[in-house]
Amino acid sequence: MNRRTIVAGSAAGLAIVAAGAIALRPDRLLRKRYPPTPYDDLLGLLTDRELARQIGRVYLSGHANFTSATAAGALRKHIAHRPLEIVLTDEVASGQLVEAAHWIMPETLVGLCALAARS
Amino acid sequence: MTPDLAIVGGGPAGITLALALANTPIRILLLESGGFEFDAATQDLYAGEESGVRYIPLNGTRLRYLGGCSNHWGGWSRPLERIDFEKRDWLRYSGWPFPREELEPYFPRAQALIEAGPFLYDRLAKANLPGTLLPLGPGGVYNSFFQFSRWKENPQHLPTAFGHRYADDLKRIANLQTMLHANVTGLRLAKDVRWVDRLDVATLSGRNFTVKPRHTVVACGGIENARLLLASNDVVSTGVGNENDLVGRFFADHAIPRDTATLVVFGGEIAGFYKANADVSGARIRAALAPTDSFRRDRKLLGSTPTVEQRVELDALDQAAVTTVSTAMGVDASNAHAYSLGTGLELAPDPERRVTLDGVRDALGMPRLKLHMTISDDDLTSYRTTLTELGRQLLAAKSGMLRMDRRTRAEWLSVMDWGNHHMGTTRMHDDAKQGVVDANSQVHGLANLFIAGSSVFPTYGASNPTLNLVALTLRLADHLKGVFR
């Protein structure tokens, strides 16, 4: 096995690994990238931060006393590492809803939208 | 003219009463102001003034000829709910003197008279429907159903106009005489003021005559019943049956705000019977989303019947909301459809929402009416609570979501329509100090005067009144048979 063969084989192997990674987690490459914030653990729960920002901006226009740090702390405590879908389902069942942009939405989701708008 | 019974007014109540008392020994005279068709001069007798919240002109909200308001009704039918009859501590002036069970035996015959097919209504939720019911999570709003009146002999002619439909039947009743163009202008009390001695009748052509019935049923409609009692003030200055200043008060209609909310259905098009009338199991139906009795009790809510109006387009912000919510909840909403929601809305009883006599007189010399219309912020808040619950149940079922389209009072009033469902002005109550008529629709303190129609409804519900007032009139007919026995 000569040097040229080893280099070519390694390159091919790396290409296969990269292709596999892309095939298994395409969202990582396709997902929009944002400057890091102190709330990325929460904002990462949102599928589309831009859409969420639109809702958040409207909500914040009527809630001037919203502070990101306080809201983030409360959200982390409330979500407690549970899947977002479960959190929202529980909130709907217990009536923890708010109006945002006139839509009736689960409280935590509106909190995330507001956080996205401020981030 | 000395009939056993005079029926004043040939609308749904008066015609129902005449039909129900057919072939009895009771000699009946039916006095109707109009003829068989609309006539402008007769209609003008209804003109009046309005104040307060914008309402329909008094000569536009009703029709004065045989068949009355059934000549322009939409055929929407739905029985009152059990809670509508209950006295509720949180709803002042609420409650009928009897429960819904008292009316239930009369619903099948009432249903036949309005020609709305088999009596199904909320049982339709378990019928073989041409489409899927909107999934709702557990909660206070349920899929409810209207049925529609239609003329069996001419199914295209919707709905049943009582005058045209039953004119021939009335002619065939041997114990009934019907007089058209005969306006009762006064109920004249006997000197002891415990008895109606005679009725003054006038025509627009200038004839005047008197009728001396043994008993009288006033069935002129939810507004005009009060007018006739108030205007009959020659013996008692406050009018007939008005010792406690109740006649004309507590007027109600169903507020019908349009485009109150936007309903998004994640899965695509909503079933056709939500958007338009559909024929199911021999009935013409339409689905609504109504609060349950238990939810209304728990949350102290008035009745409402939200219905789908039309498909609407969502703007970018709305689409952002739908996408954000649906993806977060793990639902595919790529084919979501949106619809505007209107509603029929019950108003809380209000003694200041009333009709009174005006100084202006009509062509027959009767005082015209003034209507003062109100709708309270609490009435609107009650409906918003129901909408919020509907929005919650849609999310719980992951079937859709809801946007509130009206917030301020001005916004609500800008989209306000009215049902032309005149109710409450001669309300029913066991106590003469709280009602004009008793549980048998007899005017308190007067031995031979009764009132038929929705003017006796003391609490209104959100159901359209015609089916219910026809059932109530059939009950009155049974009572009168006993009176004459």
Side-chain angles (χ1 to χ4, degrees):
Chain A
M1 189 177 291
N2 59 27
R3 188 176 166 199
R4 180 176 293 175
T5 305
I6 292 168
V7 169
S10 300
L14 285 171
I16 289 167
V17 169
I22 291 168
L24 291 171
R25 298 298 305 272
D27 55 317
R28 293 222 169 146
L29 288 180
L30 299 174
R31 180 172 280 184
K32 293 172 189 168
R33 296 183 180 281
Y34 301 95
T37 76
Y39 316 115
D40 286 347
D41 58 323
L42 294 167
L43 299 178
L45 297 171
L46 294 165
T47 306
D48 190 322
R49 205 184 295 186
E50 285 307 316
L51 294 180
R53 272 180 173 157
Q54 293 180 41
I55 307 302
R57 281 189 205 109
V58 177
Y59 178 77
L60 288 174
S61 67
H63 295 79
N65 57 353
F66 179 91
T67 57
S68 297
T70 306
L75 285 167
R76 284 190 188 105
K77 187 176 177 184
H78 179 62
I79 294 171
H81 304 294
R82 291 178 295 162
L84 181 60
E85 186 181 335
I86 299 295
V87 173
L88 301 185
T89 301
D90 288 350
E91 286 186 358
V92 169
S94 61
Q96 292 172 260
L97 305 169
V98 293
E99 273 184 54
H102 301 326
W103 290 94
I104 297 166
M105 295 170 60
E107 207 169 57
T108 290
L109 188 57
V110 174
L112 293 172
C113 290
L115 207 56
R118 280 280 172 85
S119 300
Chain B
M1 304 183 86
T2 56
D4 294 324
L5 177 68
I7 301 173
V8 184
I15 289 175
T16 294
L17 189 60
L19 293 171
L21 295 175
N23 304 316
T24 64
I26 306 167
R27 294 175 300 114
I28 306 165
L29 175 64
L30 173 61
L31 297 155
E32 163 57 38
S33 168
F36 283 113
E37 301 295 342
F38 178 89
D39 168 72
T42 304
Q43 184 67 19
D44 181 68
L45 298 171
Y46 272 160
E49 296 292 323
E50 297 104 42
S51 62
V53 170
R54 184 173 54 83
Y55 191 68
I56 307 160
L58 289 180
N59 57 346
T61 187
R62 46 203 178 137
L63 287 170
R64 192 162 173 137
Y65 62 99
L66 192 68
C69 285
S70 71
N71 289 302
H72 68 172
W73 76 312
W76 293 71
S77 302
R78 185 171 181 262
L80 287 164
E81 296 172 276
R82 278 181 177 74
I83 189 175
D84 297 328
F85 293 82
E86 295 172 4
K87 177 173 174 52
R88 286 149 276 173
D89 293 339
W90 45 270
L91 183 61
R92 203 170 176 205
Y93 308 112
S94 63
W96 290 54
F98 50 77
R100 193 180 104 146
E101 285 72 15
E102 184 73 23
L103 270 195
E104 283 174 354
Y106 299 97
F107 279 139
R109 282 166 63 202
Q111 181 84 350
L113 281 168
I114 66 168
E115 302 181 295
F119 192 88
L120 300 171
Y121 296 98
D122 287 348
R123 281 185 289 160
L124 282 160
K126 293 179 180 171
N128 186 20
L129 294 166
T132 308
L133 282 175
L134 182 63
L136 297 174
V141 175
Y142 73 110
N143 284 287
S144 182
F145 287 89
F146 287 97
Q147 288 184 221
F148 287 82
S149 162
R150 65 169 153 181
W151 196 336
K152 282 179 188 167
E153 286 74 13
N154 181 1
Q156 301 309 312
H157 187 156
L158 286 169
T160 301
F162 274 62
H164 291 283
R165 172 66 181 85
Y166 294 114
D168 289 341
D169 298 84
L170 295 176
K171 286 175 188 168
R172 284 194 287 268
I173 297 173
N175 59 316
L176 171 70
Q177 180 185 1
T178 301
M179 295 188 72
L180 301 178
H181 309 292
N183 300 277
V184 174
T185 55
L187 309 168
R188 303 306 172 205
L189 295 180
K191 284 181 182 172
D192 66 0
V193 302
R194 299 185 61 79
W195 193 266
V196 174
D197 179 61
R198 65 187 190 283
L199 313 179
D200 287 346
V201 187
T203 71
L204 282 172
S205 60
R207 285 185 59 209
N208 294 280
F209 57 96
T210 296
V211 176
K212 281 179 74 78
R214 286 173 60 196
H215 290 80
T216 299
V217 175
V218 175
C220 306
I223 297 173
E224 207 68 1
N225 283 351
R227 181 187 182 192
L228 183 56
L229 267 60
L230 290 170
S232 301
N233 54 6
D234 55 323
V235 176
V236 179
S237 63
T238 53
V240 169
N242 196 30
E243 288 77 8
N244 294 298
D245 189 23
L246 290 169
V247 174
R249 293 188 182 272
F250 297 98
F251 173 74
D253 193 350
H254 290 124
I256 304 189
R258 310 289 185 184
D259 189 16
T260 63
T262 299
L263 164 72
V264 165
V265 181
F266 289 151
E269 192 173 358
I270 198 168
F273 51 80
Y274 287 93
K275 298 182 289 184
N277 303 349
D279 292 324
V280 175
S281 304
R284 186 156 288 187
I285 70 156
R286 180 83 170 265
L289 299 157
T292 64
D293 280 8
S294 59
F295 182 64
R296 287 175 57 192
R297 279 187 207 98
D298 291 347
R299 303 293 289 272
K300 303 179 179 177
L301 300 177
L302 297 162
S304 59
T305 50
T307 48
V308 169
E309 291 177 326
Q310 59 191 340
R311 188 164 177 195
V312 295
E313 296 299 321
L314 297 178
D315 64 19
L317 180 63
D318 293 328
Q319 287 173 1
V322 171
T323 303
T324 300
V325 169
S326 60
T327 54
M329 298 196 72
V331 185
D332 176 12
S334 56
N335 189 35
H337 281 46
Y339 304 92
S340 62
L341 286 184
T343 193
L345 180 60
E346 179 184 18
L347 304 182
D350 178 2
E352 300 309 316
R353 194 170 51 237
R354 63 186 298 200
V355 292
T356 52
L357 297 180
D358 197 350
V360 180
R361 294 186 178 263
D362 67 15
L364 296 171
M366 280 191 76
R368 292 193 185 276
L369 283 180
K370 289 189 291 191
L371 167 66
H372 182 67
M373 195 62 192
T374 68
I375 180 168
S376 75
D377 290 346
D378 286 347
D379 296 338
L380 303 173
T381 301
S382 174
Y383 176 54
R384 278 182 63 86
T385 303
T386 296
L387 284 178
T388 301
E389 175 68 354
L390 173 59
R392 190 191 68 77
Q393 289 175 252
L394 289 164
L395 291 172
K398 299 188 178 182
S399 60
M401 57 191 291
L402 199 84
R403 185 184 72 190
M404 306 289 237
D405 291 348
R406 307 292 158 204
R407 298 175 76 83
T408 66
R409 180 177 175 83
E411 285 177 357
W412 282 102
L413 293 182
S414 72
V415 293
M416 196 63 74
D417 203 349
W418 296 98
N420 301 295
H421 305 154
H422 317 124
M423 300 174 280
T425 57
T426 61
R427 65 200 317 264
M428 179 183 279
H429 202 285
D430 283 331
D431 178 1
K433 291 183 178 171
Q434 299 183 65
V436 177
V437 301
D438 67 14
N440 290 317
S441 296
Q442 182 177 338
V443 175
H444 284 291
L446 287 165
N448 66 341
L449 183 63
F450 296 82
I451 296 179
S454 50
S455 68
V456 305
F457 290 12
T459 323
Y460 324 112
S463 298
N464 301 54
T466 303
L467 168 72
N468 299 288
L469 76 86
V470 168
L472 189 63
T473 303
L474 292 168
R475 178 177 174 274
L476 171 60
D478 276 358
H479 177 73
L480 288 171
K481 286 175 188 172
V483 168
F484 282 101
R485 195 169 290 139

